[in-house]
Amino acid sequence: MKELYKIGAYLAVLALAAGLWVLFAPVASERQTASFLDAVVDQKYDKAALLYGGLSADGSAGRWASELRRIYEEEGFHLQAYEGLQAEYDDGCFCHGHVNLIFDVQGETVPVRAILVFGEEYKPRQVCAIPHPEQKTVPGLNA
């Protein structure tokens, strides 16, 4: 009988841990991504590079931040705002999500939908903007 209680307690702890993970993982992914996007909106590109999980440790974070600065200064292209940030559960994890991005391209507002992929420590690993069907491309986005 004692073994049955031990097994029951073990299963209860596993269920509690799984329940906490299901509650914590999407919130953590959304908060990390929001911090990253807030830094990009505020044009704090060095801070954004540190919050972004898709960069390697070989110094590419600095180059990435410099490139964002250049695109803003030379082409007038930057992230103005975002909305609807949401992590989604699929295939056993909160590995992806979506967000609506609002870019300012030389004074013109360009809204796009983006797919997110989350990496280690719930950081955003990829942010893939998808133009609306009537748009062939988003000017400046390829850069």
Side-chain angles (χ1 to χ4, degrees), residues 1-142:
M1 194 65 153
K2 289 182 183 181
E3 289 181 26
L4 190 57
Y5 287 127
K6 286 182 183 178
I7 292 172
Y10 179 72
L11 290 175
V13 168
L14 283 177
L16 179 63
L20 289 174
W21 176 80
V22 167
L23 292 174
F24 174 75
V27 172
S29 296
E30 290 168 4
R31 288 183 71 197
Q32 289 279 28
T33 303
S35 295
F36 162 72
L37 292 172
D38 286 338
V40 173
V41 167
D42 294 339
Q43 300 173 16
K44 297 178 180 175
Y45 302 124
D46 292 322
K47 179 180 178 183
L50 295 174
L51 295 169
Y52 186 62
L55 300 171
S56 61
D58 66 357
S60 61
R63 287 191 303 272
W64 182 81
S66 296
E67 183 62 13
L68 282 179
R69 240 182 245 99
R70 185 195 68 72
I71 291 170
Y72 169 67
E73 291 170 359
E74 293 178 12
E75 299 178 28
F77 178 86
H78 73 279
L79 182 63
Q80 183 178 6
Y82 65 93
E83 59 189 18
L85 173 60
Q86 184 175 0
E88 297 174 356
Y89 183 83
D90 187 30
D91 292 333
C93 70
F94 287 93
C95 301
H96 72 279
H98 66 271
V99 65
N100 297 317
L101 302 174
I102 302 158
F103 290 99
D104 180 343
V105 182
Q106 298 177 350
E108 180 183 340
T109 300
V110 179
V112 295
R113 184 133 172 100
I115 295 172
L116 305 168
V117 177
F118 305 115
E120 294 178 13
E121 300 174 2
Y122 306 105
K123 291 182 177 183
R125 183 162 173 77
Q126 290 182 326
V127 181
C128 304
I130 303 168
H132 290 276
E134 63 272 3
Q135 293 173 312
K136 298 288 187 222
T137 63
V138 177
L141 195 57
N142 291 336

